[in-house]
Amino acid sequence: MQQGTAVVTGASSGIGRAYAQELARRGHDLVVAARDEARLSALAAQLSADHGVTVDVVRADLADSADVARLAEQITSDPRISALVNCAGLWIAGRTLGSDSPDHGPMLAVNVVALQELTLAAATAFIARGGGGIINISSAVVMAPERFHALYVAGKAYVLALTEALQSEVAGTGVRLQAVLPGFTKTEIFDRAGGDVSAIPDAMKMAPDLLVEAALAGFDAGETVTIPSLPDVADWEAFLAARAALGPNLSHDRPAPRYRLSAAV
Ligand SMILES: NC(=O)c1ccc[n+]([C@@H]2O[C@H](COP(=O)([O-])OP(=O)(O)OC[C@H]3O[C@@H](n4cnc5c(N)ncnc54)[C@H](OP(=O)(O)O)[C@@H]3O)[C@@H](O)[C@H]2O)c1
């Protein structure tokens, strides 16, 4: 991560707060954004006192397109900004279908649309500035889509695909993107969603500061996708190799023989 100011969304709690703390420790000035201005201001005061960095507070509801546009404009117009960490997000417990499922609009607005708009603004600005880093928090749930709220999983899969695809577009510009796929992380996200994670063994739940330390080590090592819990990176490389092996057979002028129902085809 090159020096400069880092914008961290969702910095009032959990993973975003841990990113703000670690980036301040590394000497970055910060712009911290979320809705809870009091928590952001307390964090800003603490980080300035502890690390001598400048921390600007931006109160933004990222489910509101006007607030997203304002933050995107700040990223575009402030040449000191060289990093964006998209951490703001929410989760919905349970299944997608059924009358008791809460409104998924705000979740998709924050997890998908706001992240997308801020990523595009930052990527464009950072290319013009000759470099920068964009970190997008996806989730390990994308590897087990059948087990979680379908729209939460789909949103996190979008984040992963967006990040991988844009990384190929910024190659050679000095800009880098990273998608981080946390497993269960000990934050407020479950309480906020009314979800019960007490049945999840402690051995499966990571502290946010450890998660961020590992994710930034992955970024520093040049990874586009980081799964902080995964012990052996060869497992991810095998997954990528299996995906790439499909490539030559994903587009032909006729269906695979097992689907050829008509002899005329
Ligand atoms: N915890 C996990 O197990 C886990 C696992 C995989 C991925 N993730 C992802 O990690 C990211 C961070 O979540 P977390 O676990 O750190 O949860 P968290 O402790 O609940 O933090 C969520 C952050 O997002 C902000 N936020 C929520 N709605 C917002 C809105 N409308 N506008 C602006 N900010 C908003 C919150 O700030 P305000 O309330 O102040 O606005 C808070 O700072 C999310 O994208 C989540 O999906 C979490």
Side-chain angles (χ1 to χ4, degrees), residues 10-16 34-36 60-63 87-90 110 137-139 152 156 182-185 187-190 192:
S12 62
S13 122
I15 295 170
R35 291 166 302 180
D36 191 329
D61 180 350
L62 297 177
C87 277
L90 48 154
V110 177
I137 306 302
S138 174
S139 171
Y152 180 77
K156 292 300 180 181
F184 291 111
T185 311
T187 72
E188 298 172 14
I189 200 167
F190 307 106
R192 288 177 192 252

Side-chain angles (χ1 to χ4, degrees), residues 162-229:
L162 176 77
T163 305
E164 287 188 285
L166 281 180
Q167 175 56 41
S168 72
E169 289 197 33
V170 301
T173 65
V175 179
R176 286 195 36 225
L177 288 97
Q178 179 200 32
V180 179
L181 277 58
F184 291 111
T185 311
K186 291 183 237 176
T187 72
E188 298 172 14
I189 200 167
F190 307 106
D191 288 342
R192 288 177 192 252
D196 178 15
V197 286
S198 59
I200 308 289
D202 284 345
M204 291 179 71
K205 293 183 264 193
M206 195 180 290
D209 56 334
L210 292 180
L211 175 89
V212 167
E213 185 186 348
L216 283 172
F219 186 91
D220 293 341
E223 293 181 355
T224 299
V225 178
T226 296
I227 306 177
S229 293

Side-chain angles (χ1 to χ4, degrees), residues 32-70:
V32 291
R35 291 166 302 180
D36 191 329
E37 199 168 0
R39 287 178 98 179
L40 292 176
S41 297
L43 176 69
Q46 180 211 322
L47 296 181
S48 298
D50 290 352
H51 305 292
V53 296
T54 300
V55 185
D56 292 336
V57 168
V58 173
R59 203 212 79 82
D61 180 350
L62 297 177
D64 178 338
S65 60
D67 282 9
V68 175
R70 259 194 297 278

